[in-house]
Amino acid sequence: STLRSMTEALHWRIDQSNRFAADVAHELKNPLTSVRNAAEMLPLVKSDADRQRLVDTIRHDVRRLTRLIDDISKATRVGGEMALAESAPVNLAELLRTLTEVFGETLAKHRQKVVLDLDDSAAPGDEAFIVQGHDLRLGQVFSNLIDNALSFSPSDGAVAIKVRRDADMIVVAVEDDGPGIPAEALGKIFDRFYTYRPDVESFGNNSGLGLSISLEIIEAHGGTITAENRVASPAGEGRCVGVAGARLIVRLPALSPAAAHRAVRSRARRR
């Protein structure tokens, strides 16, 4: 029985690797084809304007290839690193406070902002928000979600991070003031290499791996991540004025009260 389970797990891993390799080959082919075509046309064009357009195309696609390769490298390392690294109690409240401060400093010269709303009524202090996991990888997930939300929000918009306890789960919602997610994209945004950007100029600026990697990390922690649209305030008689933005929701299993209490005390002693 054990051998059968190990064999099935191995076959699943091989199948996943083959699919990932096929996806990578497909995604790399498009910018490479564009670079090749532009390079072949470059000696043939006569005007400086046409030559500059081809050079700009090559530069854009090379940057796109670099982003793809970097994100592919990150995606291939996630599973192995978490399997080898030892998990430990992670204080999500503290982690999100730090991220909020970091993004706040980054956005200091801009009108965008990141706001943290922590509902700590479920337990004293931060004991309600402790999970067992890998702090660097969880930080990567929430940093990616915040950065993604900021990219869709207007220049004077705000990203809200709302944290609460729901029974034995910790719920973190990252909300933006953007255009929302089209219905046809809601079921695809966590797929590898899928990107949705309403702004044509931003095409190719994202590899489409960020949310896929985030999903893998959260599922490895026994949690879930979902996406939905925020609905604007009701306009009377059950009517709504429309979509107010997107909301990505992460659910992670919380440590038991006793384990969380021990983790908080241990952290306080180390300080």
Side-chain angles (χ1 to χ4, degrees):
S1 176
T2 302
L3 182 59
R4 188 186 308 112
S5 297
M6 292 172 63
T7 304
E8 290 174 353
L10 179 60
H11 280 301
W12 180 85
R13 178 61 66 181
I14 292 172
D15 184 55
Q16 290 294 105
S17 297
N18 288 339
R19 290 183 182 181
F20 185 71
D23 290 343
V24 167
H26 179 268
E27 290 300 315
L28 291 177
K29 184 177 180 180
N30 291 333
L32 281 173
T33 300
S34 177
V35 168
R36 184 188 64 191
N37 292 339
E40 290 175 351
M41 289 292 296
L42 200 54
L44 305 178
V45 298
K46 301 189 183 304
S47 72
D48 291 340
D50 289 339
R51 188 176 295 108
Q52 187 59 49
R53 276 195 292 271
L54 289 174
V55 170
D56 290 342
T57 297
I58 292 172
R59 286 174 175 167
H60 176 273
D61 287 322
V62 168
R63 287 195 298 268
R64 184 181 175 194
L65 282 167
T66 301
R67 280 189 294 271
L68 276 169
I69 292 168
D70 287 345
D71 286 347
I72 288 166
S73 176
K74 292 175 185 176
T76 56
R77 291 199 307 264
V78 165
E81 287 182 1
M82 288 197 299
L84 293 174
E86 186 176 348
S87 66
V90 179
N91 187 332
L92 281 187
E94 189 173 278
L95 175 65
L96 292 170
R97 285 193 196 101
T98 301
L99 285 176
T100 302
E101 291 174 3
V102 169
F103 274 95
E105 293 172 0
T106 304
L107 298 170
K109 297 180 180 179
H110 304 276
R111 289 185 294 170
Q112 285 183 314
K113 58 183 178 179
V114 177
V115 180
L116 178 62
D117 180 5
L118 189 69
D119 181 3
D120 58 359
S121 59
D126 292 345
E127 291 184 14
F129 306 110
I130 296 180
V131 301
Q132 187 74 17
H134 305 269
D135 57 348
L136 291 179
R137 287 305 180 185
L138 289 173
Q140 177 185 348
V141 169
F142 291 113
S143 179
N144 179 59
L145 295 185
I146 296 168
D147 191 54
N148 189 67
L150 286 168
S151 72
F152 280 101
S153 292
S155 58
D156 58 347
V159 170
I161 309 169
K162 299 181 178 179
V163 191
R164 62 183 175 86
R165 182 72 178 262
D166 183 12
D168 59 349
M169 301 294 287
I170 299 169
V171 183
V172 182
V174 180
E175 302 178 351
D176 64 46
D177 291 333
I181 306 169
E184 64 273 15
L186 277 170
K188 301 177 183 177
I189 64 170
F190 295 104
D191 292 349
R192 276 198 300 259
F193 300 112
Y194 179 82
T195 58
Y196 166 74
R197 293 279 160 176
D199 184 0
V200 176
E201 294 181 0
S202 66
F203 175 75
N205 290 335
N206 298 274
S207 68
L209 279 173
L211 290 179
S212 173
I213 294 172
S214 297
L215 174 64
E216 182 179 353
I217 293 172
I218 293 301
E219 288 185 342
H221 283 79
T224 62
I225 179 170
T226 56
E228 64 185 28
N229 283 320
R230 295 171 52 226
V231 179
S233 301
E237 297 183 3
R239 294 177 298 165
C240 295
V241 295
V243 174
R247 177 188 293 119
L248 273 72
I249 305 169
V250 174
R251 290 177 172 268
L252 288 165
L255 277 184
S256 66
H261 184 65
R262 287 196 298 271
V264 170
R265 291 185 62 185
S266 175
R267 183 65 177 264
R269 283 198 299 270
R270 289 198 298 271
R271 287 177 176 175

